[in-house]
Amino acid sequence: MRAVVLHEYGGPEKLKFEDNVPEPQISGNTVLIAATSASVNPIDWKLRSGVMQKVYPLSLPAILGRDVSGIVRSVGANVKHFKAGDRVLALSNKTYAELVAVDDAEVTHLPDGVDLTDAAAIPLISLTGDQLVRIATNVQKGQVVLVTGALGSVGRAAVHTAKKLGAQVIAGVRGKEVEEARSLGVSDVLAIDDDQAILNFPLVDAVADTVGGEVAAKLMARVKQGGSVGYTAVLPEDAAAKNPTVKITRVGARPDASKVREFADDVRDGKFILPIGRRMQLRDAAEAHVLGQKGGIGKILLLAPDSKG
């Protein structure tokens, strides 16, 4: 099959589009998906560069990618809920490829009315944003939660979940994004690049952070005693010591097919909007990584060769 292969750690140029890659191994519980598209996520270039190899070492040569949407090609003998021809999506691994093998428990049907190509943007960001709010910060109805990077893909998912839980949501964005952030239907907006605005802002019950760094550290000081901070990026090493009354939890997305389906349903119904920044061919994965790392472009999709999306 055709796929993008990484033979050694390094820059985007290390991603090689190849046309004679072994097809994935399948078992009795496997759903084999003929991919329509994959999406590009920050974890992809962090793995590619090698900066995370101590935590998540790759077995090289490797195929990157976490999201896939496509059409079921075949299923294992034990699979009951999927059949060839079904439109599906999943959080998986090795998705920069024409064929992706996924455990059936991690696959969900794609509802009618959702574009098959664009659906690949949903799984990782929806699960990360949802688990950031629901698990890491454990936000309850009526509480006030500040979501940083609220206009980013994970931030949008976190805002969506927090609103569904009945929380009061504050969108934390850069000053130039304040007006755009109001379109998220939040209770208030905070310019997180304005130190005085942060100091003047009332204390909150929780922070769901997608930004990290010193910005996150400053915002921790605005969390009530006994409150919580969930984060996806990297915090300063002394963050916990400086905030001993705050529960701090990092989130890493865990597969949850039913939650992916819930987000897909909300996309279909217009309740959750996830802007797509660029649709590119799979063979252009290296260029997609360059664009993604620059930031500010939105979600990038990689379209599989000959996909019928």
Side-chain angles (χ1 to χ4, degrees):
M1 67 172 181
R2 291 169 288 185
V4 173
V5 181
L6 179 72
H7 291 276
E8 59 181 323
Y9 294 115
E13 74 281 356
K14 299 297 184 182
L15 294 171
K16 305 298 184 183
F17 181 77
E18 300 178 0
D19 60 9
N20 193 27
V21 180
E23 294 188 2
Q25 298 294 307
I26 60 174
S27 68
N29 296 314
T30 300
V31 176
L32 185 64
I33 301 171
T36 295
S37 63
S39 80
V40 177
N41 294 289
I43 186 64
D44 299 348
W45 57 75
K46 292 174 183 177
L47 290 172
R48 183 212 73 227
S49 68
V51 299
M52 296 188 71
Q53 61 181 296
K54 287 185 178 180
V55 183
Y56 299 113
L58 296 175
S59 177
L60 299 171
I63 298 174
L64 301 179
R66 299 300 317 277
D67 297 313
V68 63
S69 62
I71 305 293
V72 175
R73 172 176 285 192
S74 62
V75 300
N78 301 330
V79 176
K80 306 300 182 187
H81 302 294
F82 301 96
K83 64 182 186 304
D86 286 354
R87 299 183 345 136
V88 295
L89 73 162
L91 178 69
S92 186
N93 291 290
K94 303 181 180 181
T95 65
Y96 287 13
E98 279 187 296
L99 295 173
V100 181
V102 188
D103 188 284
D104 66 334
E106 298 173 3
V107 182
T108 187
H109 289 98
L110 185 67
D112 292 340
V114 179
D115 183 87
L116 183 60
T117 299
D118 291 354
I122 297 172
L124 183 61
I125 67 96
S126 65
L127 293 176
T128 303
D130 180 83
Q131 292 166 18
L132 177 64
V133 169
R134 194 182 301 273
I135 298 174
T137 64
N138 191 28
V139 170
Q140 304 296 309
K141 182 177 181 179
Q143 289 187 322
V144 179
V145 58
L146 170 64
V147 178
T148 67
L151 286 171
S153 298
V154 172
R156 287 173 184 269
V159 167
H160 184 65
T161 287
K163 288 169 64 178
K164 290 183 78 168
L165 289 171
Q168 295 183 50
V169 184
I170 313 299
V173 295
R174 290 175 292 182
K176 65 181 183 181
E177 299 172 325
V178 164
E179 288 308 311
E180 183 183 356
R182 296 190 192 282
S183 68
L184 297 172
V186 292
S187 300
D188 203 351
V189 180
L190 172 64
I192 58 176
D193 54 357
D194 183 336
D195 287 350
Q196 194 59 50
I198 292 173
L199 285 172
N200 293 341
F201 206 77
L203 298 183
V204 298
D205 296 295
V207 172
D209 175 62
T210 72
V211 175
E214 292 301 327
V215 170
K218 293 173 185 176
L219 294 171
M220 282 186 187
R222 309 309 300 161
V223 178
K224 296 176 183 177
Q225 285 197 6
S228 59
V229 173
Y231 70 103
T232 62
V234 178
L235 301 179
E237 290 185 4
D238 60 353
K242 287 184 175 180
N243 299 274
T245 69
V246 177
K247 181 183 178 183
I248 302 173
T249 307
R250 186 171 188 173
V251 69
R254 296 180 295 202
D256 184 340
S258 65
K259 185 59 66 174
V260 172
R261 173 58 191 256
E262 183 181 324
F263 269 82
D265 286 343
D266 287 347
V267 168
R268 174 199 62 198
D269 297 339
K271 296 176 181 177
F272 179 56
I273 297 172
L274 184 58
I276 305 300
R278 192 76 62 89
R279 298 170 185 83
M280 304 174 68
Q281 294 300 311
L282 182 61
R283 65 174 59 251
D284 298 323
E287 181 186 350
H289 275 222
V290 172
L291 292 171
Q293 285 185 258
K294 286 181 180 177
I297 191 175
K299 206 77 177 99
I300 300 175
L301 296 176
L302 295 175
L303 280 57
D306 307 326
S307 65
K308 298 177 174 60

